[in-house]
Amino acid sequence: MRDNGPMPTTAPSSTSTLKIGPHPVQPPVVLAPMAGITNAPFRTLCREFSGGKGLFVSEMITTRALVERNEKTMQLIHFDATEKPRSIQLYGVDPATVGKAVRMIAEEDLADHIDLNFGCPVPKVTRKGGGSALPYKRPLLRAILREAVSGAGDLPVTMKMRKGIDDDHITYLDAGRIAVEEGVTAIALHGRTAAQHYGGTADWDAIARLKEHVPEIPVLGNGDIWCAEDALRMVRETGCDGVVVGRGCLGRPWLFADLVAAFEGRTAFARPTLREVADVMVRHAGLLGEWIGDESRGVIDFRKHVAWYLKGFAVGSEMRKRLAITSSLEELRSGLDELDLDQAWPAGADGPRGRTSGNNRVVLPDGWLKDPYDCAGVSEDAELDTSGG
Ligand SMILES: Cc1cc2nc3c(=O)[nH]c(=O)nc-3n(C[C@H](O)[C@H](O)[C@H](O)COP(=O)(O)O)c2cc1C
């Protein structure tokens, strides 16, 4: 298990550049796909802070909604003109639909890289055999990967998964081998089981084991990177080829500046004052409004980010509540202007943020665990009909 002691900030000594297909990712830092979060505006902010370095994956797009050209889905797959490479994450349970979605992306030039999501632990998905329940059915996983890789043509296809369903039903090593056999370009492993949801500690040893198990392709480590030093430590301790960072950048897109600095051997990390944070908040809300095409809806969508941005700052609970129900940029800005904006970056704000609970029982279809090779009864309903959920 990983050591929780103090750590040096030395950059990894490895000089090999992570490549996702033809795309170099240098330094090897990836924004984790997060439904409802990693849309074009948030990716823009993260990219600005990283100086354009790294890889920024879209929120999850369901394949059925994509092939049906669902209106919301078509908006979610929007990339800013400057995004290169354009990374899209797909979620699907039916090999034929996944194949169609991937072909559509390739033929219509909708993205440059496709990531497949096999990590979702949400009960309404696993109950039907989807998400993190799916890799347990080895032949189905193989069929999906085969369709995706063959439909993608020259586009690289990667997969993201968890360790397994629970400690008694670990799937990541088999899934990794299947991925290599089917021509997947790289694998990201979130070091938790579905049963853990977001609780406990990510198992970085599993990332190291996967790296040994699939030496043919890059392995990206994911789970519990809260600050740039954590990212360096994950690479050092697991030998992974890159890191995928999710909750650590909620309300903190400048973490990408820190990550780039750390991998480049610099230690000057961003410690914004509340004034600087407030400016980013207003910009984030404004970008959401432009993206949605309606300022008020943008600010309303931004509400979920408010607590993350303000984490650790001395802001009274009444003011926090007020800021989380604003409906216009002016209201947001004037509320923020009432705060003591000279506050320094708070000690402790580099720690965990976002969801941290877990240890739920995984809800599965009847008899799911009886036979990993029997794929009868996998329901296409496991795929939600809208994206980003
Ligand atoms: C709000 C939220 C939404 C998420 N949505 C997705 C998703 O759409 N696709 C996916 O593969 N993982 C999703 N995840 C999981 C993250 O990509 C990541 O694997 C997980 O948060 C662990 O990484 P972290 O410890 O850096 O947060 C989501 C996580 C959160 C907190």
Side-chain angles (χ1 to χ4, degrees):
M1 292 295 287
R2 65 199 167 107
D3 157 22
N4 286 322
M7 54 228 145
T9 52
T10 44
S13 53
S14 161
T15 51
S16 65
T17 298
L18 170 65
K19 284 184 102 183
I20 301 296
H23 309 293
V25 181
Q26 187 63 9
V29 291
V30 179
L31 171 65
M34 287 186 282
I37 311 288
T38 60
N39 44 34
F42 189 69
R43 295 195 306 269
T44 295
L45 283 178
C46 293
R47 269 187 310 124
E48 282 177 4
F49 280 107
S50 80
K53 298 173 182 178
L55 186 70
F56 304 89
V57 186
S58 80
E59 51 190 313
M60 163 180 118
I61 304 294
T62 68
T63 52
R64 196 165 67 191
L66 183 64
V67 298
E68 288 171 359
R69 296 182 192 271
N70 171 291
E71 198 181 327
K72 182 180 172 211
T73 300
M74 297 316 280
Q75 188 204 15
L76 289 179
I77 61 166
H78 168 82
F79 289 93
D80 192 270
T82 58
E83 281 190 72
K84 273 285 164 198
R86 298 161 298 169
S87 281
I88 202 167
Q89 189 188 53
L90 294 181
Y91 167 68
V93 296
D94 172 48
T97 313
V98 171
K100 262 190 224 160
V102 165
R103 271 191 297 280
M104 175 176 162
I105 291 170
E107 284 163 11
E108 299 179 23
D109 187 25
L110 300 176
D112 305 303
H113 157 227
I114 296 167
D115 183 48
L116 296 173
N117 177 4
F118 296 104
C120 185
V122 175
K124 71 178 173 189
V125 167
T126 56
R127 176 180 289 123
K128 304 267 177 64
S132 47
L134 196 146
Y136 190 73
K137 299 292 190 187
R138 276 68 167 175
L140 178 60
L141 176 70
R142 186 183 291 282
I144 290 175
L145 296 178
R146 185 168 296 179
E147 281 292 326
V149 171
S150 73
D154 292 338
L155 297 184
V157 174
T158 60
M159 75 182 278
K160 179 163 174 287
M161 61 182 175
R162 288 184 176 236
K163 280 170 60 186
I165 291 176
D166 56 30
D167 285 344
D168 295 326
H169 303 92
I170 294 293
T171 54
Y172 72 100
L173 294 176
D174 281 1
R177 185 61 18 224
I178 292 170
V180 169
E181 287 164 8
E182 296 303 328
V184 164
T185 301
I187 305 176
L189 177 65
H190 177 189
R192 284 188 171 82
T193 60
Q196 284 179 285
H197 274 230
Y198 294 90
T201 309
D203 173 6
W204 289 7
D205 290 345
I207 297 167
R209 277 198 295 276
L210 181 64
K211 177 65 199 155
E212 284 164 13
H213 194 68
V214 292
E216 300 92 335
I217 60 175
V219 168
L220 308 178
N222 173 232
D224 298 354
I225 291 177
W226 306 113
C227 61
E229 292 90 337
D230 288 344
L232 297 187
R233 194 159 53 84
M234 180 189 273
V235 171
R236 207 170 47 241
E237 291 179 7
T238 69
C240 66
D241 302 281
V243 296
V244 180
V245 184
R247 292 164 297 164
C249 50
L250 293 173
R252 202 162 57 128
W254 51 87
L255 179 56
F256 272 87
D258 290 9
L259 289 164
V260 169
F263 276 94
E264 292 180 348
R266 292 179 281 115
T267 52
F269 298 147
R271 295 288 176 267
T273 61
L274 184 53
R275 186 181 313 283
E276 291 164 318
V277 170
D279 288 346
V280 177
M281 291 172 76
V282 174
R283 175 149 159 73
H284 190 170
L287 286 171
L288 282 167
E290 285 168 28
W291 178 63
I292 295 171
D294 178 328
E295 176 190 311
S296 178
R297 284 177 54 207
V299 176
I300 289 168
D301 192 59
F302 178 74
R303 290 173 179 177
K304 66 180 127 185
H305 299 270
V306 168
W308 293 323
Y309 275 106
L310 297 180
K311 185 176 161 62
F313 286 106
V315 177
S317 60
E318 279 311 308
M319 190 48 137
R320 280 177 190 272
K321 275 189 214 144
R322 206 180 109 192
L323 288 167
I325 53 166
T326 54
S327 307
S328 73
L329 286 176
E330 197 188 335
E331 211 185 330
L332 177 64
R333 177 84 260 179
S334 66
L336 289 168
D337 284 344
E338 288 179 37
L339 304 177
D340 168 13
L341 293 176
D342 292 326
Q343 289 179 60
W345 178 251
D350 287 333
R353 45 179 63 217
R355 303 170 189 169
T356 50
S357 61
N359 292 320
N360 299 329
R361 197 174 62 84
V362 185
V363 188
L364 297 166
D366 279 347
W368 188 254
L369 297 174
K370 269 191 205 138
D371 183 353
Y373 294 92
D374 174 9
C375 299
V378 177
S379 159
E380 213 191 320
D381 297 350
E383 189 162 331
L384 312 171
D385 53 7
T386 53
S387 298

